[in-house]
Amino acid sequence: LEFRNLLRKYQIENEDAEGVMSSKSIKGTKGTREKNPDESLVHIDELNKDICYVLLEEGEQNLFDEGSAVMYLGDGKQVVSTTDAAAVLAHVNVCKEVVGHDLKKLMHTIGLITSPLFDTMVAAYLLSPGSRHFALDEILYEQAGKALQGDEDARELVTYLPKLSKELRISLMDEGMMKLANEIEMPVIPVLYEMEKAGIALDSQQLEKMSKK
């Protein structure tokens, strides 16, 4: 414990001395962004609440297994970013629809989303259940014809969600799977999140008895 405290102190002093941002920064694909949740709260309130487009960008874990995440929200016209999970949850839960990629994973960061959902990863799976490639960049290329350059960050990627979700909806309708998506696959996302969050109770005594047989 003393070693961890000394190492943490050294890390902070070293970063301050070199002018490097400490744990209040988020690393992304295009560098390091300063965490400023107070400023982003103002911008979130300015977003249109009809359809909310959101992406999660996870930060790298440090030596103490502490990770940070930044969330990008858009309304089709402007994009804002924040590390304030509570602010993001409050915003998306008043939107008429939330569009994102792997929304269940997002919920493990911000909490339960109660607004109607459209998950581009789930939609892509319905269209190609035999595929193993459901990364956002791959789906953008296959469904929306958008070839990425490799240096795009989540702020830019969230601007592609309106077109991608539109193309996916068209494909789902053409395949006769829109009802399946709207009535089963999308509504089950928060249910799965709550199941994962709650976990499964095990009878350890019974398992021990079984292991001895």
Side-chain angles (χ1 to χ4, degrees):
L1 180 60
E2 291 181 359
F3 173 75
R4 288 165 63 91
N5 290 336
L6 286 171
L7 191 56
R8 182 188 295 274
K9 182 178 179 181
Y10 171 78
Q11 182 187 36
I12 294 173
E13 290 177 349
N14 192 46
E15 288 174 343
D16 291 341
E18 296 179 3
V20 180
M21 284 179 286
S22 60
S23 59
K24 291 185 178 180
S25 64
I26 306 291
K27 286 187 176 181
T29 55
K30 283 192 174 181
T32 307
R33 297 178 298 279
E34 187 175 357
K35 175 182 177 181
N36 193 348
D38 293 333
E39 180 181 353
S40 61
L41 283 172
V42 178
H43 296 303
I44 289 177
D45 292 338
E46 296 174 358
L47 292 175
N48 188 291
K49 296 179 177 59
D50 286 337
I51 300 180
C52 172
Y53 302 94
V54 58
L55 283 179
L56 169 70
E57 185 176 74
E58 295 183 308
E60 298 178 359
Q61 289 189 330
N62 60 22
L63 187 62
F64 307 100
D65 294 327
E66 296 170 340
S68 299
V70 60
M71 288 138 286
Y72 291 85
L73 299 99
D75 59 6
K77 294 183 179 179
Q78 55 185 344
V79 178
V80 299
S81 63
T82 182
T83 56
D84 191 329
V88 174
L89 183 63
H91 175 74
V92 297
N93 277 343
V94 295
C95 293
K96 295 180 180 178
E97 184 181 51
V98 179
V99 176
H101 190 79
D102 198 355
L103 291 171
K104 179 163 63 70
K105 186 175 184 179
L106 173 66
M107 289 189 210
H108 280 289
T109 299
I110 68 173
L112 179 65
I113 299 176
T114 57
S115 298
L117 306 176
F118 186 85
D119 193 318
T120 55
M121 187 177 75
V122 173
Y125 169 76
L126 289 175
L127 292 169
S128 301
S131 175
R132 295 184 178 181
H133 305 288
F134 299 108
L136 181 56
D137 58 341
E138 295 170 324
I139 298 173
L140 276 168
Y141 180 74
E142 293 175 4
Q143 299 292 332
K146 176 64 180 178
L148 302 182
Q149 301 302 313
D151 60 347
E152 296 86 350
D153 61 11
R155 177 182 292 275
E156 185 174 353
L157 291 176
V158 77
T159 64
Y160 303 145
L161 288 180
K163 177 176 175 57
L164 176 61
S165 59
K166 179 180 178 180
E167 295 298 327
L168 286 168
R169 291 179 207 266
I170 292 174
S171 297
L172 288 170
M173 291 181 65
D174 290 343
E175 297 295 328
M177 291 191 291
M178 200 67 218
K179 184 175 181 180
L180 173 65
N182 288 337
E183 297 184 6
I184 298 178
E185 297 295 339
M186 303 303 172
V188 83
I189 295 172
V191 177
L192 294 174
Y193 155 71
E194 291 192 295
M195 290 173 62
E196 290 180 1
K197 182 181 178 183
I200 301 174
L202 295 176
D203 188 335
S204 58
Q205 293 181 347
Q206 181 62 28
L207 288 175
E208 185 177 358
K209 291 180 180 178
M210 295 172 63
S211 66
K212 294 179 179 179
K213 290 182 179 181

